[in-house]
Structures are given as structure tokens and as C-alpha cells.
Amino acid sequence: MMDSSSLGKSYDEFCFYYEQLNESLDGIVNEYYGGFNESILTFSGLHDKIHDATMSVSHIKNNLQRVRRMITEERGSLDQLYTKSNQLGAIVTILNRIEEVKRLPDEMAGYIADKKFLTAAGKLVQDM
């Protein structure tokens, strides 16, 4: 490049083109720097959101697997509680019925005193 023959270019012409190219690239960088910087920030934000979503999905998946294991485990204590609850419900029903039967003689006496024999008979049949 340094020779003056017809096969090469002159050094001054090379420097001129180099300088023009350098100025053009500087102009392009300055013009598009803001957009490029914003794109990098947007990409970084999207990457963070995707990572957070991935971690959240992984956490939810682990929780669902844990809940599935807990639900499918047999628990004898739950069966015992269910049986005990049914027994206590039956006892409460029997006690309520006993209370109704205890009140029956007083109600019958009131109906008979008021000469409401049909009502007394209906109440007696209903409560028995």
C-alpha cells in the first residue's frame, strides 16, 4: 500500500477512506445507541420475567406433587374420626328423641285438659 505503483493504493487515500468509515460508524453507533440500549434492557427484563415464571411453575409443580402424595396417603385417623363422628351424630339423635318422649306426657295432659282429643291422638301417633 505504501508504493506508488498502479497495483496498490496510496496510503493517504487509505487513511481518507478509513477516516470516513470511522466517522460513519461513529454516527451509526450514536444514532442507534439509545434503541440498542433499550432493547438490551427490555431483553434483560423479559429474561428475568421468564426466569421468575419458570421458578414459579416449578414451585407450583412441586407443591401439587406434595399435595397429591398427601391426598392419596391412607390415614387411619381420618377413618376413625369419620366413624366417631357418625356415632356421636347417632347419639345426639337418640338424645333428642328421648327429650321429645319425656315432654310427651305433659303435652298429652295439656291436650286432654283442653279437650283436644284428636290433637292428642295425632301427637301420640306422630311421636311414637
Side-chain angles (χ1 to χ4, degrees):
M1 282 205 192
M2 299 293 276
D3 66 354
S4 58
S5 71
S6 63
L7 297 176
K9 301 276 185 188
S10 69
Y11 181 71
D12 292 336
E13 192 176 347
F14 172 77
C15 287
F16 173 75
Y17 288 125
Y18 175 79
E19 202 56 44
Q20 276 189 327
L21 183 62
N22 197 22
E23 288 175 11
S24 296
L25 285 175
D26 282 346
I28 291 170
V29 167
N30 288 337
E31 185 175 339
Y32 293 104
Y33 172 76
F36 182 71
N37 192 29
E38 188 175 313
S39 295
I40 288 176
L41 291 175
T42 302
F43 175 78
S44 176
L46 286 173
H47 182 266
D48 291 343
K49 296 293 183 190
I50 291 171
H51 182 264
D52 292 346
T54 302
M55 295 304 291
S56 177
V57 166
S58 176
H59 182 70
I60 290 170
K61 182 179 177 183
N62 289 337
N63 283 343
L64 285 173
Q65 289 172 345
R66 185 172 52 90
V67 167
R68 179 181 288 158
R69 280 193 310 270
M70 290 173 69
I71 288 174
T72 58
E73 277 182 16
E74 285 193 30
R75 292 203 174 100
S77 60
L78 290 177
D79 290 335
Q80 291 171 353
L81 285 173
Y82 176 74
T83 304
K84 189 71 167 178
S85 173
N86 287 341
Q87 289 172 347
L88 291 175
I91 290 171
V92 167
T93 302
I94 291 169
L95 289 174
N96 287 337
R97 186 71 178 128
I98 289 171
E99 287 295 321
E100 290 174 9
V101 170
K102 282 174 129 181
R103 287 191 301 255
L104 189 60
D106 293 335
E107 290 178 13
M108 289 292 126
Y111 290 137
I112 293 172
D114 293 339
K115 298 191 188 287
K116 296 182 178 176
F117 301 113
L118 186 59
T119 305
K123 180 71 172 166
L124 186 60
V125 169
Q126 178 185 348
D127 285 350
M128 288 294 166

